[in-house]
Amino acid sequence: ALKVNSTLVELNLAGNGQIDEDGGVALADALLVNMSLAELDLSRSRMRGRGPEALAVALQTNTTLVKLGLNYLIPHEISRRIYAALADPERAYARAAWTDTKPAREIPILEPRE
């Protein structure tokens, strides 16, 4: 449903223990084609394995997601790739519109816990 949804701009799945490896891959697949979702909170989820890696790949294509909450259990190197994709200059317009009153250089994301 997320693949074809064009109205949903915020999705909070924080604390959802059902988002495992397969769930993360499915979300990443949806983000490859969804161009409306601007905020996704996956913090405190159980997404591991291939899920975070698939998310990092999807965010290289998806330019509409500008705010992301992640599980602190995601490996640091994958978290860095995800945040690097979110910092891409192609997101500057969406980031400025999303943050409303904040300067465009600020990246509105939830930092992973170490």
Side-chain angles (χ1 to χ4, degrees):
L2 187 58
K3 283 185 177 183
V4 296
N5 187 303
S6 62
T7 57
L8 186 68
V9 294
E10 180 180 336
L11 182 58
N12 185 342
L13 297 172
N16 187 325
Q18 302 300 312
I19 302 173
D20 56 7
E21 181 175 7
D22 293 335
V25 171
L27 278 170
D29 286 346
L31 288 176
L32 286 170
V33 294
N34 179 287
M35 295 300 151
S36 65
L37 193 65
E39 180 177 349
L40 176 61
D41 191 352
L42 297 172
S43 59
R44 298 181 322 273
S45 72
R46 296 176 188 245
M47 185 176 64
R48 295 186 191 150
R50 295 177 302 126
E53 177 67 29
L55 189 61
V57 171
L59 289 176
Q60 293 173 358
T61 301
N62 179 301
T63 58
T64 56
L65 192 72
V66 294
K67 187 172 182 181
L68 176 64
L70 285 178
N71 183 335
Y72 66 92
L73 297 173
I74 290 175
H76 188 68
E77 65 277 1
I78 295 175
S79 294
R80 295 188 114 194
R81 288 182 47 215
I82 290 170
Y83 292 121
L86 289 173
D88 188 305
E90 291 293 315
R91 295 176 192 269
Y93 175 77
R95 192 165 50 249
W98 176 257
T99 59
D100 200 25
T101 59
K102 294 181 182 176
R105 69 180 183 278
E106 291 186 20
I107 304 168
I109 55 178
L110 304 173
E111 292 292 336
R113 293 183 233 162
E114 296 292 330

